Amino acid sequence: MLALLGQIQSAGDAARWRELLDRHASRADPQWRDDVIARLQGVPRRVAVLPPRLDAVLDAEGNVVDAQAVPVPDLDEQMLRDWAGY
């Protein structure tokens, strides 16, 4: 398949390229596309996902025995905490 694509590209054969796509490419159902677009109304296009902060869980002697994932409520606070160590 890769060799065929290379031949089509080197020859600049647009008709052969179109025939290959018409025969093998999948097509999205317009109704499905419209449904997805309708469902995404009001959803932000860009979302920042913050990983949780890991806090140490200590035993009675002060040894680390586990870690606890704590949600990060504020991006600015987390960035200041991260950069304080540098």
Side-chain angles (χ1 to χ4, degrees):
M1 181 60 130
L2 194 55
L4 176 61
L5 293 175
Q7 290 173 356
I8 292 171
Q9 182 179 10
S10 65
D13 191 353
R16 192 168 176 198
W17 179 255
R18 185 174 316 281
E19 187 269 328
L20 184 68
L21 286 176
D22 287 342
R23 182 184 307 171
H24 299 288
S26 61
R27 289 174 178 70
D29 184 346
Q31 181 62 36
W32 291 356
R33 183 196 64 228
D34 296 341
D35 184 42
V36 168
I37 290 171
R39 289 181 185 199
L40 291 176
Q41 292 297 333
V43 175
R45 295 194 52 101
R46 292 184 179 92
V47 177
V49 178
L50 301 176
R53 183 180 73 235
L54 296 178
D55 290 342
V57 176
L58 307 175
D59 64 8
E61 288 115 25
N63 299 319
V64 177
V65 294
D66 202 356
Q68 179 180 9
V70 179
V72 176
D74 183 21
L75 175 62
D76 294 331
E77 175 188 327
Q78 185 62 37
M79 289 181 69
L80 289 173
R81 179 178 288 121
D82 290 344
W83 282 95
Y86 291 103

